[in-house]
Amino acid sequence: MSLSTPIFLKEREEDNSKFVEIQQSQTTCIAAEDLLQNLCLASQEVLKKAQQNGRSKCLKCGGSRMFYCYTCYVPVENVPVEHIPLVKLPLKIDIIKHPNETDGKSTAVHAKLLAPEFVNIYTYPCIPEYEEKDHEVALVFPGPKSVSVKDISFHLQKKSQNSIRGKNDDLDKPSIKRKKTEEQDLNDSKCKDTTLKKIVFIDSTWNQTNKIFTDERLQGLLQVELKTRKTCFWRHQKGKPDTFLSTIEAIYYFLVDYHTDILKEKYKGQYDNLLFFYSFMHQLIKNAKCPGDKETRKLTH
């Protein structure tokens, strides 16, 4: 007589496991949707009209697009630029985009459209030079060495001090001269601004991020992780945790945490309009289909 678990019991366990996974996913999505519904947004009437009228022409390249041109980073003809909100950010943002990332699927464009004076997008292998300014730049990316947003200032100051000590380790200098140099550098360090001035994001699928993340030009940057935030992105990648955010979600959540944890100010929706396009598209897709509902009904019966 076989002692192995009957096939129908295994199937039931798999179904139950799948059902729990779907329920957890739906719970996360509901919580995220609650956030999207309570944002302080500019009127999206212009997007509703554009959606009804269909694709329109980009006034720069002439391409046919919906809402905005993801190549030129401008709204299309039937979305007047004066109806698009502009968001003022507390620091600069660099986005390093993977060359194989599909332009039309990237949410990084939203940041450039809505905060053009504060956001720059670079296509890898093009990366700005950060080495001399790594005491005021950080990279948002999860990992074992990542720190929380609230600890950024402490770690940047530590990095700046270590950099100064490294410069003073030149044993070839005469001792008297070295002492004077050390005293001068330490005095300078007290005045050195270690405030975060720029934050870097990687824009790619999670399976493609390693090529950019391991680039030596980014290795010296402080690494920051948004550990408590959950995604509601409609193209969430299978097998990845729900803390892996889309680019615009990561930018938005970082700025909210930065505002409260670093600037020590009450958040009153100052950056909500960064989700101006994202929230509208999320609602459109939600109305077009209800992911998981059919599968849930199938498993519960």
Side-chain angles (χ1 to χ4, degrees):
M1 180 177 178
S2 173
L3 297 178
S4 61
T5 306
I7 293 177
F8 75 90
L9 288 180
K10 287 185 177 180
E11 290 178 346
R12 177 173 292 181
E13 289 176 0
E14 290 175 359
D15 282 352
N16 288 339
S17 176
K18 193 173 183 180
F19 176 60
V20 170
E21 184 180 340
I22 290 172
Q23 280 191 318
Q24 291 174 339
S25 177
Q26 287 179 331
T27 300
T28 299
C29 196
I30 289 171
E33 286 177 1
D34 288 342
L35 166 72
L36 293 179
Q37 291 172 358
N38 292 301
L39 295 171
C40 298
L41 295 174
S43 172
Q44 293 177 321
E45 191 62 32
V46 65
L47 299 182
K48 293 177 183 178
K49 291 180 179 178
Q51 193 268 330
Q52 292 171 354
N53 294 331
R55 298 165 73 89
S56 184
K57 184 175 67 173
C58 171
L59 296 177
K60 281 193 173 182
C61 69
S64 178
R65 305 281 189 263
M66 177 67 79
F67 304 129
Y68 57 82
C69 178
Y70 44 75
T71 305
C72 304
Y73 308 140
V74 294
V76 291
E77 190 174 25
N78 64 359
V79 180
V81 66
E82 60 268 21
H83 292 170
I84 302 300
L86 289 178
V87 185
K88 185 177 180 180
L89 306 184
L91 40 68
K92 299 288 186 177
I93 291 176
D94 282 353
I95 300 172
I96 313 301
K97 178 179 170 294
H98 195 283
N100 293 336
E101 177 72 359
T102 304
D103 291 340
K105 293 183 178 181
S106 171
T107 61
V109 182
H110 300 180
K112 182 63 177 175
L113 282 159
L114 298 163
E117 295 182 11
F118 299 88
V119 178
N120 285 308
I121 299 178
Y122 302 90
T123 300
Y124 187 81
C126 181
I127 295 180
E129 181 57 58
Y130 299 122
E131 186 175 0
E132 296 298 321
K133 297 182 179 180
D134 62 357
H135 60 281
E136 57 187 38
V137 181
L139 170 69
V140 173
F141 197 84
K145 296 182 180 180
S146 297
V147 304
S148 63
V149 174
K150 66 180 180 181
D151 293 328
I152 288 177
S153 296
F154 169 78
H155 286 280
L156 286 181
Q157 185 176 18
K158 188 176 178 182
K159 179 183 283 289
S160 179
Q161 292 171 347
N162 289 340
S163 176
I164 292 172
R165 291 194 189 100
K167 291 178 181 178
N168 292 330
D169 285 340
D170 185 358
L171 299 180
D172 293 332
K173 296 178 181 177
S175 59
I176 297 177
K177 183 177 180 181
R178 185 167 65 248
K179 184 177 180 181
K180 290 182 178 180
T181 302
E182 288 174 355
E183 290 175 352
Q184 180 63 44
D185 284 345
L186 287 173
N187 288 333
D188 290 345
S189 71
K190 293 178 182 178
C191 302
K192 195 170 186 178
D193 187 2
T194 57
T195 303
L196 182 68
K197 294 182 180 179
K198 181 173 288 186
I199 190 74
V200 182
F201 295 85
I202 296 175
D203 182 45
S204 74
T205 63
W206 283 101
N207 292 329
Q208 296 174 335
T209 54
N210 192 57
K211 182 176 181 180
I212 299 177
F213 172 67
T214 56
D215 191 289
E216 61 180 5
R217 291 169 290 180
L218 298 180
Q219 294 307 296
L221 298 183
L222 178 67
Q223 204 172 316
V224 182
E225 183 173 359
L226 308 172
K227 299 180 181 180
T228 62
R229 301 299 192 174
K230 309 293 184 182
T231 185
C232 66
F233 192 36
W234 51 88
R235 280 192 295 270
H236 181 65
Q237 296 173 55
K238 187 177 180 181
K240 301 300 181 183
D242 54 12
T243 53
F244 280 22
L245 309 171
S246 67
T247 303
I248 194 63
E249 285 177 316
I251 292 172
Y252 170 75
Y253 284 128
F254 173 85
L255 289 171
V256 172
D257 290 347
Y258 178 85
H259 194 86
T260 55
D261 294 339
I262 302 297
L263 299 183
K264 303 296 183 182
E265 297 179 12
K266 185 176 180 180
Y267 183 68
K268 298 180 180 179
Q270 291 91 330
Y271 316 120
D272 282 9
N273 272 322
L274 284 174
L275 299 178
F276 180 74
F277 292 104
Y278 182 86
S279 62
F280 185 79
M281 292 177 179
H282 183 277
Q283 190 61 45
L284 278 183
I285 293 170
K286 179 186 174 184
N287 292 342
K289 59 181 181 179
C290 298
D293 287 356
K294 183 178 179 181
E295 190 66 30
T296 302
R297 289 195 298 270
K298 177 181 176 182
L299 291 174
T300 53
H301 291 288

PDB file of all heavy atoms in Angstrom, residues 3 10 15 40 79 85 103 109-110 112 125 151 163 174-175 205 225 233 239 263 265 270 274:
ATOM      1  N   LEU A   3       2.204   4.936   0.736  1.00  0.00           N
ATOM      2  CA  LEU A   3       2.062   5.911   1.817  1.00  0.00           C
ATOM      3  C   LEU A   3       2.133   7.342   1.321  1.00  0.00           C
ATOM      4  O   LEU A   3       2.099   8.281   2.097  1.00  0.00           O
ATOM      5  CB  LEU A   3       3.169   5.694   2.858  1.00  0.00           C
ATOM      6  CG  LEU A   3       3.148   4.329   3.582  1.00  0.00           C
ATOM      7  CD1 LEU A   3       4.317   4.241   4.546  1.00  0.00           C
ATOM      8  CD2 LEU A   3       1.826   4.126   4.323  1.00  0.00           C
ATOM      9  N   LYS A  10      -2.940  16.665  -2.755  1.00  0.00           N
ATOM     10  CA  LYS A  10      -1.897  17.588  -3.218  1.00  0.00           C
ATOM     11  C   LYS A  10      -2.496  18.731  -4.023  1.00  0.00           C
ATOM     12  O   LYS A  10      -2.111  19.886  -3.885  1.00  0.00           O
ATOM     13  CB  LYS A  10      -0.875  16.835  -4.072  1.00  0.00           C
ATOM     14  CG  LYS A  10       0.040  15.916  -3.267  1.00  0.00           C
ATOM     15  CD  LYS A  10       1.108  15.306  -4.178  1.00  0.00           C
ATOM     16  CE  LYS A  10       2.072  14.454  -3.383  1.00  0.00           C
ATOM     17  NZ  LYS A  10       3.121  13.857  -4.246  1.00  0.00           N
ATOM     18  N   ASP A  15      -4.229  24.364  -4.516  1.00  0.00           N
ATOM     19  CA  ASP A  15      -5.325  25.317  -4.721  1.00  0.00           C
ATOM     20  C   ASP A  15      -5.453  26.260  -3.529  1.00  0.00           C
ATOM     21  O   ASP A  15      -5.642  27.471  -3.682  1.00  0.00           O
ATOM     22  CB  ASP A  15      -6.643  24.579  -4.942  1.00  0.00           C
ATOM     23  CG  ASP A  15      -6.765  24.016  -6.351  1.00  0.00           C
ATOM     24  OD1 ASP A  15      -5.882  24.337  -7.168  1.00  0.00           O
ATOM     25  OD2 ASP A  15      -7.716  23.268  -6.630  1.00  0.00           O
ATOM     26  N   CYS A  40      -4.121  64.094  -3.303  1.00  0.00           N
ATOM     27  CA  CYS A  40      -4.464  65.492  -3.606  1.00  0.00           C
ATOM     28  C   CYS A  40      -3.982  65.788  -5.021  1.00  0.00           C
ATOM     29  O   CYS A  40      -2.849  66.237  -5.226  1.00  0.00           O
ATOM     30  CB  CYS A  40      -3.805  66.429  -2.607  1.00  0.00           C
ATOM     31  SG  CYS A  40      -4.319  66.193  -0.901  1.00  0.00           S
ATOM     32  N   VAL A  79      -3.516  67.259 -25.104  1.00  0.00           N
ATOM     33  CA  VAL A  79      -3.347  67.429 -23.651  1.00  0.00           C
ATOM     34  C   VAL A  79      -2.535  68.710 -23.444  1.00  0.00           C
ATOM     35  O   VAL A  79      -1.305  68.678 -23.358  1.00  0.00           O
ATOM     36  CB  VAL A  79      -2.610  66.222 -23.028  1.00  0.00           C
ATOM     37  CG1 VAL A  79      -2.452  66.416 -21.524  1.00  0.00           C
ATOM     38  CG2 VAL A  79      -3.374  64.925 -23.308  1.00  0.00           C
ATOM     39  N   PRO A  85      -0.114  69.430 -14.155  1.00  0.00           N
ATOM     40  CA  PRO A  85       0.480  70.025 -12.947  1.00  0.00           C
ATOM     41  C   PRO A  85       2.000  69.946 -12.968  1.00  0.00           C
ATOM     42  O   PRO A  85       2.582  69.022 -13.536  1.00  0.00           O
ATOM     43  CB  PRO A  85      -0.098  69.161 -11.814  1.00  0.00           C
ATOM     44  CG  PRO A  85      -0.403  67.839 -12.455  1.00  0.00           C
ATOM     45  CD  PRO A  85      -0.849  68.170 -13.844  1.00  0.00           C
ATOM     46  N   ASP A 103      10.157  52.040 -23.768  1.00  0.00           N
ATOM     47  CA  ASP A 103       9.824  53.429 -23.434  1.00  0.00           C
ATOM     48  C   ASP A 103       8.352  53.603 -23.075  1.00  0.00           C
ATOM     49  O   ASP A 103       8.015  54.289 -22.116  1.00  0.00           O
ATOM     50  CB  ASP A 103      10.178  54.343 -24.616  1.00  0.00           C
ATOM     51  CG  ASP A 103      11.678  54.466 -24.825  1.00  0.00           C
ATOM     52  OD1 ASP A 103      12.422  54.184 -23.870  1.00  0.00           O
ATOM     53  OD2 ASP A 103      12.095  54.812 -25.938  1.00  0.00           O
ATOM     54  N   VAL A 109       8.967  58.275 -17.123  1.00  0.00           N
ATOM     55  CA  VAL A 109       8.587  59.439 -17.932  1.00  0.00           C
ATOM     56  C   VAL A 109       7.652  60.358 -17.161  1.00  0.00           C
ATOM     57  O   VAL A 109       7.683  61.583 -17.317  1.00  0.00           O
ATOM     58  CB  VAL A 109       7.909  58.977 -19.242  1.00  0.00           C
ATOM     59  CG1 VAL A 109       7.552  60.176 -20.110  1.00  0.00           C
ATOM     60  CG2 VAL A 109       8.811  58.023 -19.989  1.00  0.00           C
ATOM     61  N   HIS A 110       6.795  59.779 -16.299  1.00  0.00           N
ATOM     62  CA  HIS A 110       5.844  60.583 -15.530  1.00  0.00           C
ATOM     63  C   HIS A 110       6.583  61.635 -14.694  1.00  0.00           C
ATOM     64  O   HIS A 110       6.156  62.783 -14.605  1.00  0.00           O
ATOM     65  CB  HIS A 110       5.017  59.693 -14.596  1.00  0.00           C
ATOM     66  CG  HIS A 110       4.210  58.658 -15.307  1.00  0.00           C
ATOM     67  ND1 HIS A 110       3.394  57.765 -14.656  1.00  0.00           N
ATOM     68  CD2 HIS A 110       4.078  58.363 -16.622  1.00  0.00           C
ATOM     69  CE1 HIS A 110       2.805  56.965 -15.528  1.00  0.00           C
ATOM     70  NE2 HIS A 110       3.216  57.317 -16.726  1.00  0.00           N
ATOM     71  N   LYS A 112       9.535  62.966 -15.234  1.00  0.00           N
ATOM     72  CA  LYS A 112      10.115  63.991 -16.100  1.00  0.00           C
ATOM     73  C   LYS A 112       9.047  64.962 -16.599  1.00  0.00           C
ATOM     74  O   LYS A 112       9.290  66.160 -16.711  1.00  0.00           O
ATOM     75  CB  LYS A 112      10.822  63.316 -17.285  1.00  0.00           C
ATOM     76  CG  LYS A 112      11.509  64.288 -18.236  1.00  0.00           C
ATOM     77  CD  LYS A 112      12.621  65.059 -17.552  1.00  0.00           C
ATOM     78  CE  LYS A 112      13.362  65.970 -18.519  1.00  0.00           C
ATOM     79  NZ  LYS A 112      14.375  66.808 -17.854  1.00  0.00           N
ATOM     80  N   PRO A 125      24.607  52.858 -21.163  1.00  0.00           N
ATOM     81  CA  PRO A 125      25.642  53.044 -20.142  1.00  0.00           C
ATOM     82  C   PRO A 125      25.979  54.482 -19.766  1.00  0.00           C
ATOM     83  O   PRO A 125      26.994  54.707 -19.108  1.00  0.00           O
ATOM     84  CB  PRO A 125      26.847  52.364 -20.772  1.00  0.00           C
ATOM     85  CG  PRO A 125      26.683  52.607 -22.238  1.00  0.00           C
ATOM     86  CD  PRO A 125      25.202  52.524 -22.486  1.00  0.00           C
ATOM     87  N   ASP A 151      17.694  57.248   8.059  1.00  0.00           N
ATOM     88  CA  ASP A 151      19.114  57.144   8.433  1.00  0.00           C
ATOM     89  C   ASP A 151      20.059  57.723   7.382  1.00  0.00           C
ATOM     90  O   ASP A 151      21.286  57.608   7.522  1.00  0.00           O
ATOM     91  CB  ASP A 151      19.486  55.675   8.678  1.00  0.00           C
ATOM     92  CG  ASP A 151      18.790  55.099   9.902  1.00  0.00           C
ATOM     93  OD1 ASP A 151      18.544  55.864  10.847  1.00  0.00           O
ATOM     94  OD2 ASP A 151      18.469  53.892   9.904  1.00  0.00           O
ATOM     95  N   SER A 163      35.864  59.814   3.963  1.00  0.00           N
ATOM     96  CA  SER A 163      36.549  60.318   2.779  1.00  0.00           C
ATOM     97  C   SER A 163      37.688  61.251   3.164  1.00  0.00           C
ATOM     98  O   SER A 163      38.784  61.204   2.595  1.00  0.00           O
ATOM     99  CB  SER A 163      35.553  61.045   1.868  1.00  0.00           C
ATOM    100  OG  SER A 163      36.210  61.619   0.764  1.00  0.00           O
ATOM    101  N   PRO A 174      55.487  65.123   5.040  1.00  0.00           N
ATOM    102  CA  PRO A 174      56.179  65.381   6.302  1.00  0.00           C
ATOM    103  C   PRO A 174      55.152  65.486   7.428  1.00  0.00           C
ATOM    104  O   PRO A 174      54.050  65.982   7.223  1.00  0.00           O
ATOM    105  CB  PRO A 174      56.888  66.726   6.064  1.00  0.00           C
ATOM    106  CG  PRO A 174      56.995  66.808   4.574  1.00  0.00           C
ATOM    107  CD  PRO A 174      55.790  66.118   4.027  1.00  0.00           C
ATOM    108  N   SER A 175      55.481  65.032   8.608  1.00  0.00           N
ATOM    109  CA  SER A 175      54.518  64.964   9.705  1.00  0.00           C
ATOM    110  C   SER A 175      53.906  66.321  10.044  1.00  0.00           C
ATOM    111  O   SER A 175      52.718  66.424  10.330  1.00  0.00           O
ATOM    112  CB  SER A 175      55.197  64.382  10.955  1.00  0.00           C
ATOM    113  OG  SER A 175      56.303  65.180  11.335  1.00  0.00           O
ATOM    114  N   THR A 205      13.271  46.461 -15.779  1.00  0.00           N
ATOM    115  CA  THR A 205      12.626  45.327 -15.142  1.00  0.00           C
ATOM    116  C   THR A 205      13.584  44.833 -14.057  1.00  0.00           C
ATOM    117  O   THR A 205      14.800  45.059 -14.137  1.00  0.00           O
ATOM    118  CB  THR A 205      12.364  44.183 -16.134  1.00  0.00           C
ATOM    119  OG1 THR A 205      13.621  43.696 -16.641  1.00  0.00           O
ATOM    120  CG2 THR A 205      11.515  44.663 -17.308  1.00  0.00           C
ATOM    121  N   GLU A 225      16.640  51.803   0.838  1.00  0.00           N
ATOM    122  CA  GLU A 225      15.555  50.883   0.497  1.00  0.00           C
ATOM    123  C   GLU A 225      14.247  51.339   1.128  1.00  0.00           C
ATOM    124  O   GLU A 225      14.222  51.787   2.277  1.00  0.00           O
ATOM    125  CB  GLU A 225      15.881  49.460   0.976  1.00  0.00           C
ATOM    126  CG  GLU A 225      14.819  48.441   0.577  1.00  0.00           C
ATOM    127  CD  GLU A 225      15.225  47.010   0.897  1.00  0.00           C
ATOM    128  OE1 GLU A 225      16.344  46.818   1.412  1.00  0.00           O
ATOM    129  OE2 GLU A 225      14.429  46.095   0.627  1.00  0.00           O
ATOM    130  N   PHE A 233       1.290  48.358  -8.979  1.00  0.00           N
ATOM    131  CA  PHE A 233       1.558  48.451 -10.412  1.00  0.00           C
ATOM    132  C   PHE A 233       0.854  47.324 -11.163  1.00  0.00           C
ATOM    133  O   PHE A 233       0.882  46.171 -10.741  1.00  0.00           O
ATOM    134  CB  PHE A 233       3.069  48.378 -10.653  1.00  0.00           C
ATOM    135  CG  PHE A 233       3.493  48.754 -12.043  1.00  0.00           C
ATOM    136  CD1 PHE A 233       2.849  49.754 -12.740  1.00  0.00           C
ATOM    137  CD2 PHE A 233       4.559  48.109 -12.648  1.00  0.00           C
ATOM    138  CE1 PHE A 233       3.256  50.114 -14.025  1.00  0.00           C
ATOM    139  CE2 PHE A 233       4.978  48.457 -13.930  1.00  0.00           C
ATOM    140  CZ  PHE A 233       4.320  49.462 -14.611  1.00  0.00           C
ATOM    141  N   GLY A 239       6.801  36.462  -9.184  1.00  0.00           N
ATOM    142  CA  GLY A 239       7.900  35.944  -8.386  1.00  0.00           C
ATOM    143  C   GLY A 239       8.645  36.998  -7.598  1.00  0.00           C
ATOM    144  O   GLY A 239       9.554  36.674  -6.825  1.00  0.00           O
ATOM    145  N   LEU A 263      13.196  66.103   6.367  1.00  0.00           N
ATOM    146  CA  LEU A 263      12.830  67.516   6.487  1.00  0.00           C
ATOM    147  C   LEU A 263      12.038  67.793   7.759  1.00  0.00           C
ATOM    148  O   LEU A 263      11.896  68.950   8.163  1.00  0.00           O
ATOM    149  CB  LEU A 263      12.017  67.953   5.261  1.00  0.00           C
ATOM    150  CG  LEU A 263      12.724  67.839   3.903  1.00  0.00           C
ATOM    151  CD1 LEU A 263      11.825  68.379   2.802  1.00  0.00           C
ATOM    152  CD2 LEU A 263      14.058  68.556   3.908  1.00  0.00           C
ATOM    153  N   GLU A 265       8.866  67.641   8.328  1.00  0.00           N
ATOM    154  CA  GLU A 265       7.683  68.453   8.074  1.00  0.00           C
ATOM    155  C   GLU A 265       6.464  67.557   7.862  1.00  0.00           C
ATOM    156  O   GLU A 265       6.594  66.419   7.401  1.00  0.00           O
ATOM    157  CB  GLU A 265       7.899  69.334   6.837  1.00  0.00           C
ATOM    158  CG  GLU A 265       9.020  70.348   6.995  1.00  0.00           C
ATOM    159  CD  GLU A 265       9.219  71.181   5.732  1.00  0.00           C
ATOM    160  OE1 GLU A 265       8.346  71.114   4.843  1.00  0.00           O
ATOM    161  OE2 GLU A 265      10.239  71.877   5.637  1.00  0.00           O
ATOM    162  N   GLN A 270       2.157  67.381  -1.000  1.00  0.00           N
ATOM    163  CA  GLN A 270       2.988  68.204  -1.884  1.00  0.00           C
ATOM    164  C   GLN A 270       3.455  67.469  -3.140  1.00  0.00           C
ATOM    165  O   GLN A 270       3.662  68.100  -4.182  1.00  0.00           O
ATOM    166  CB  GLN A 270       4.215  68.716  -1.124  1.00  0.00           C
ATOM    167  CG  GLN A 270       3.913  69.747  -0.050  1.00  0.00           C
ATOM    168  CD  GLN A 270       3.665  69.119   1.311  1.00  0.00           C
ATOM    169  OE1 GLN A 270       3.183  67.995   1.416  1.00  0.00           O
ATOM    170  NE2 GLN A 270       3.986  69.847   2.363  1.00  0.00           N
ATOM    171  N   LEU A 274       2.760  63.751  -8.604  1.00  0.00           N
ATOM    172  CA  LEU A 274       3.682  62.875  -9.325  1.00  0.00           C
ATOM    173  C   LEU A 274       2.943  61.619  -9.812  1.00  0.00           C
ATOM    174  O   LEU A 274       3.377  60.956 -10.750  1.00  0.00           O
ATOM    175  CB  LEU A 274       4.852  62.460  -8.430  1.00  0.00           C
ATOM    176  CG  LEU A 274       5.933  63.527  -8.185  1.00  0.00           C
ATOM    177  CD1 LEU A 274       6.947  63.012  -7.169  1.00  0.00           C
ATOM    178  CD2 LEU A 274       6.629  63.916  -9.489  1.00  0.00           C
TER     179      LEU A 274
END
